[in-house]
Amino acid sequence: MKSPPPVDPESPAPAGTPPDCKGGRQGSKRLPWRMTLSLAYQSLGVVYGDLSTSPLYVYKAAFAEDIEHSETNEEILGVLSFVFWTLTLVPLLKYVCVVLRADDNGEGGTFALYSLLCRHARAALLPPGRGAEAGDVDHQFFYTGGKKALENGNARTLAGRGGGGAAASVRRLLERHKVLQRVLLVLALIGTCMVIGDGVLTPAISVFSAVSGLELSMEKHQHKYVEVPIACIVLVCLFALQHYGTHRVGFLFAPVVIVWLLCISMIGVYNIVHWEPHVYRALSPYYMYKFLRKTQRGGWMSLGGILLCITGSEAMFADLGHFNQLSIQIAFTCMVYPSLILAYMGQAAYLCKHHTIDSDYKIGFYVSVPEKIRWPVLAIAILAAVVGSQAVITGTFSMIKQCTALGCFPRVKIIHTSDKVHGQIYIPEINWILMILCLAITIGFRDTKHLGNASGLAVITVMLVTTCLMSLVIVLCWHKSIFLALGFIVFFGTIEALYFSASLIKFREGAWVPIVLSFIFMAIMCIWHYGTIKKYEFDLQNKVSINWLLGLSPNLGIVRVRGIGLIHTELDSGIPAIFSHFVTNLPAFHQVLIFLCVKNVPIPYVSPEERFLVGRIGPKEYRIYRCIVRYGYHDVHKDDQEFEKELVCSVAEFIRSGASFDKLKNGISEEAEKEERMSVIPSGIIRMLEEDGAAEHTIAVGSTSRAAAREILSPSPSPPPPPPVVIPRKRVRFVLPAASPRPDPGVREELQDLTDAREAGMAFILGHSYVKAKNGSSFFRRLVINFCYDFLRRNSRGPNYAVTIPYASTLEVGMIYYV
């Protein structure tokens, strides 16, 4: 079957390209070579800083306690062999050649893989309002790739419902068993939490290892009082730079990484030529066997230190949204990989001829640096360590944004630092939390060994999760043989499981830190996920039917006031309970009423042609509409004025085209069809012009020929007309397409009502809900809902659409939800 296209219908994937693997928004079309090389240059400063600084601590961590450097050189050559093959198999073969091709429309990371899988199998356990519900039109959009996939009517569906027998079998297995869906979500959350933990640990170990070079130049009783303060000052400066954004930080840091890579590679070449030219023999896998045979258990435990040579490999995938696939591949294969191999070989060559080190520093990076250039190298190393921390911090920001958009993390403030690359973001709250935790760990451990044990476990756990999810992507998304997927997970899973076991055995020696950090973040994600779902379920169970709204006039005397009332709701059908609560206490609402549902669908971007979904509620005379606005988890939300214009224009286009009478053939149940019909409304067809007009005398009418058609009149006698008031009005005009036919009188009247309402202004009605556990709930549920979820809700940001709306036009309606 043909490979499914990405969501953006304007850029279908070429034949033979793996689905969803084109490099995203930047990669949806070929970038010029100049821009690709520029991105590759920037990626050196953002993505590869962590991986490039690993020579600072790998040998020191490997020879910490478990093994000793002997005269036979079997230990040092065995470690070099492990380092070479680990760097070759994991970052080069696994990530550069395979995993980077599995991007989610240009976005990478654990959660992007989970999102990709959920689109190819109905396995999503996302909070409602963040994904699509079965039976609605958005569900059709979610599983078919949008409106154009419907129009084409071919097999190019985003969900990839085709594929071989293996793909179909795995898909059915996932769709039938909720337990497997929960396991999939937990795997994604574990990987995300470990990335956050790595964002705390990597800056600490990188900076501390760079500063530890002072040991060679100071007395032992002096340097221990200098290392920690200097490391803390450097870390504070690093996190303070984050608000400048990836673009500026990348251009600032890239020269540092280039100088550092050239420096360690030249030192490596010097050591190889000067001390041991035959060190290349260690590239044979036979030396790994000799190493394990001689060292046995100690050699196995030292793998926890050797593992640190691939620290930062996951950043290549997590930071993919900041760059593109080709730029990351060019930077690694042409610059990073050869420099690291030369650096490790140079250190091993030096140690082959130096078995007794006079300094307490013992085996480490700086002993292999010629003494004449040691101070300049120390300065470059500290700068490179700062850069090395940038990769995981940037990856952490991307992960948090994906989790927030999909409703698995409390809402935080997200600042887009680039108007060209949408994935470049900065999150202030997360930045300062990472800084505080990083400083606490640096001050608490003050030791490379414990920091290395902690960082190693976090790194290898993320890689294991990526391997598991990637094997499913190979079957479900790429429609490859299940034996290929099994081969992938067995080959790379065995390597990573070996390192994982060596890291986990050091639980009491620092490896407990990432476990505790991930447990805390996991608890936050699960509590937020649980509370959000329970709140939505209450909305579903207490939503009001359309018949209730239509039967209001004879009983309550509802009055319609001029203007547009915009009611925010998470429901995509029915009337929310918050509105019935409002109307019951204040029996009036606006001349034009729009129920707005903002959905974050688990794809990176939604094209403008498919963003707005509009339908009508009740008879045409009531002027009540529903609008569902869909955003991907990397879409940028527009400001209030521009959003208002697009929203009103989409309703106007819905009225003009008569879309409410068109019948969608697929994806809508009969019950939903009787209630309302939703249609995708492309933006930009109708333009709205607004200009300030002079103040005019207008009289609020009680019942005129046209007002009677849009008012629900009270059965009581009409009150006397109010005195005329002077209202400054703005003039609003709709500009129809030149080729469109002249609208009939009914459409003209409805458009005129919309114009009048827009001139009168727009009011935003926001529901402010308080979630409480109902009576009789268990102690655990009361603890989670009444305290934990309530604490997170009160200390998180409001919805994205509520941040920019003018407070003067906002009305909040409070209601308690008992769940």
Side-chain angles (χ1 to χ4, degrees), residues 339-365:
S339 299
L340 289 177
I341 298 300
L342 288 174
Y344 285 116
M345 290 177 67
Q347 287 186 62
Y350 178 88
L351 293 172
C352 283
K353 300 298 182 181
H354 297 80
H355 303 94
T356 304
I357 308 296
D358 297 332
S359 170
D360 291 327
Y361 190 72
K362 295 182 180 179
I363 294 178
F365 171 75

Side-chain angles (χ1 to χ4, degrees), residues 535-546 548-549 552 565-584 593-597 617 624-627 675-676 765-769 801 813 815 817:
K535 177 176 175 292
Y536 182 80
E537 287 176 352
F538 181 91
D539 265 332
L540 273 183
Q541 294 166 4
N542 293 274
K543 70 179 181 180
V544 181
S545 66
I546 303 298
W548 175 86
L549 183 65
L552 284 178
L566 199 63
I567 301 173
H568 293 281
T569 175
E570 291 187 356
L571 296 175
D572 52 17
S573 64
I575 308 298
I578 203 85
F579 179 69
S580 64
H581 180 69
F582 167 71
V583 172
T584 304
L593 202 61
I594 301 175
F595 288 94
L596 177 67
C597 175
I617 301 177
I624 302 176
Y625 309 94
R626 183 185 308 283
C627 184
E675 186 178 278
E676 54 190 297
I765 302 173
L766 299 178
H768 195 76
S769 57
Y801 53 76
V813 182
M815 186 174 179
Y817 286 21

Side-chain angles (χ1 to χ4, degrees), residues 490-511:
V490 168
F491 181 73
F492 291 107
T494 302
I495 297 171
E496 291 159 0
L498 181 65
Y499 282 118
F500 180 79
S501 62
S503 298
L504 195 60
I505 199 92
K506 298 182 179 180
F507 178 83
R508 298 177 62 183
E509 299 174 8

Side-chain angles (χ1 to χ4, degrees), residues 496-780:
E496 291 159 0
L498 181 65
Y499 282 118
F500 180 79
S501 62
S503 298
L504 195 60
I505 199 92
K506 298 182 179 180
F507 178 83
R508 298 177 62 183
E509 299 174 8
W512 58 270
V513 172
I515 295 177
V516 171
L517 287 175
S518 54
F519 176 80
I520 293 171
F521 283 104
M522 187 82 168
I524 291 173
M525 290 181 178
C526 290
I527 289 169
W528 186 261
H529 180 269
Y530 178 78
T532 306
I533 281 187
K534 290 299 177 184
K535 177 176 175 292
Y536 182 80
E537 287 176 352
F538 181 91
D539 265 332
L540 273 183
Q541 294 166 4
N542 293 274
K543 70 179 181 180
V544 181
S545 66
I546 303 298
N547 293 331
W548 175 86
L549 183 65
L550 302 183
L552 284 178
S553 55
N555 301 319
L556 294 180
I558 301 298
V559 177
R560 305 294 290 271
V561 296
R562 295 188 70 243
I564 298 176
L566 199 63
I567 301 173
H568 293 281
T569 175
E570 291 187 356
L571 296 175
D572 52 17
S573 64
I575 308 298
I578 203 85
F579 179 69
S580 64
H581 180 69
F582 167 71
V583 172
T584 304
N585 291 277
L586 184 64
F589 54 89
H590 292 81
Q591 161 189 5
V592 174
L593 202 61
I594 301 175
F595 288 94
L596 177 67
C597 175
V598 177
K599 278 199 172 188
N600 289 303
V601 292
I603 55 176
Y605 302 99
V606 177
S607 72
E609 290 84 1
E610 299 175 339
R611 188 173 307 283
F612 289 94
L613 197 65
V614 183
R616 189 191 305 281
I617 301 177
K620 182 185 292 188
E621 293 77 16
Y622 279 75
R623 309 296 193 246
I624 302 176
Y625 309 94
R626 183 185 308 283
C627 184
I628 298 174
V629 185
R630 299 174 291 205
Y631 288 100
Y633 57 74
H634 275 284
D635 272 322
V636 180
H637 291 244
K638 298 182 178 180
D639 59 53
D640 58 309
Q641 292 185 355
E642 190 174 355
F643 176 77
E644 285 179 28
K645 286 184 178 180
E646 287 196 3
L647 179 64
V648 174
C649 286
S650 67
V651 175
E653 172 59 21
F654 171 79
I655 295 170
R656 184 194 70 86
S657 61
S660 59
F661 300 104
D662 294 336
K663 204 167 185 177
L664 290 176
K665 303 294 183 184
N666 303 306
I668 307 179
S669 63
E670 290 183 8
E671 183 179 348
E673 249 182 61
K674 291 177 183 176
E675 186 178 278
E676 54 190 297
R677 295 166 184 163
M678 308 291 291
S679 297
V680 176
I681 303 298
S683 59
I685 297 180
I686 286 185
R687 291 187 300 114
M688 183 174 67
L689 302 181
E690 292 182 318
E691 50 191 41
D692 295 330
E696 298 181 3
H697 292 275
T698 59
I699 300 178
V701 294
S703 174
T704 64
S705 58
R706 199 172 59 179
R710 63 174 185 268
E711 288 189 1
I712 305 175
L713 299 177
S714 168
S716 58
S718 299
V725 292
V726 178
I727 304 174
R729 295 185 60 184
K730 57 183 175 184
R731 310 289 295 180
V732 175
R733 291 186 298 124
F734 289 118
V735 179
L736 304 182
S740 62
R742 184 177 181 83
D744 59 61
V747 170
R748 291 180 64 86
E749 182 181 359
E750 195 170 357
L751 286 174
Q752 184 61 48
D753 285 347
L754 184 62
T755 302
D756 294 343
R758 175 60 182 169
E759 289 177 351
M762 183 176 289
F764 299 84
I765 302 173
L766 299 178
H768 195 76
S769 57
Y770 300 88
V771 182
K772 300 289 183 184
K774 59 186 176 184
N775 294 332
S777 299
S778 64
F779 170 77
F780 181 73

